[in-house]
Amino acid sequence: MTGHRILPPSIVDCAVRHWSRVLPPGADLCGVSSLADGADQLFATHILASGGVLEVLLPCEGFAGSLLGDDSRARFEDLRRAAASVTTMPYPEPSEQAFLAAGRALVDRCDHLFAVWDGRPARGVGGTGDVVAYARARGRQVTVLWVDGVHRP
């Protein structure tokens, strides 16, 4: 899973509808997420609610401190506790290089990447666009979830 951190409501609805269709409860699901705000936490919540296994891949030590608000940090902690495994990349603090390394490691662990992505270039190194490009270069199946005409903040 990769995706934007701030999502318009129509994008949340689009992603949840899609996952409900293709990742039904009872399926043998294993999802990998970095638990960032927005799309990552939304996906992780869906995986767990569907009875799947959640693997967490954190970009760095102290990653929770980079999240956007108290609600997001609380969800992060709940999801992290519910995960079957948590791996932290060897970076001491949040950085673009840590995000890029985590995105690549996440792609290397998956066979199908869901990207809640507007199709635009990454705003910084290691952003959603970079992760999608890496997945495509590695031959991973990529499903982009977005609604035409919707712009992210």
Side-chain angles (χ1 to χ4, degrees), residues 75-101:
R75 276 190 307 277
F76 170 89
E77 291 301 334
D78 290 343
L79 292 165
R80 188 175 59 89
R81 280 192 295 275
S85 67
V86 178
T87 302
T88 303
M89 299 297 292
Y91 292 87
E93 60 190 21
S95 69
E96 289 184 339
Q97 291 309 314
F99 298 147
L100 181 60

Side-chain angles (χ1 to χ4, degrees), residues 25-27 29 46-53:
L29 302 175
H46 182 84
I47 289 294
L48 292 171
S50 297
V53 173

Side-chain angles (χ1 to χ4, degrees), residues 27-85:
D28 191 19
L29 302 175
C30 179
V32 184
S33 171
S34 292
L35 300 184
D37 316 270
D40 285 11
Q41 290 185 4
L42 186 67
F43 177 74
T45 299
H46 182 84
I47 289 294
L48 292 171
S50 297
V53 173
L54 176 63
E55 294 182 12
V56 172
L57 182 59
L58 300 176
C60 60
E61 296 293 330
F63 179 65
S66 72
L67 301 178
L68 298 175
D70 292 340
D71 290 346
S72 185
R73 284 187 285 279
R75 276 190 307 277
F76 170 89
E77 291 301 334
D78 290 343
L79 292 165
R80 188 175 59 89
R81 280 192 295 275
S85 67

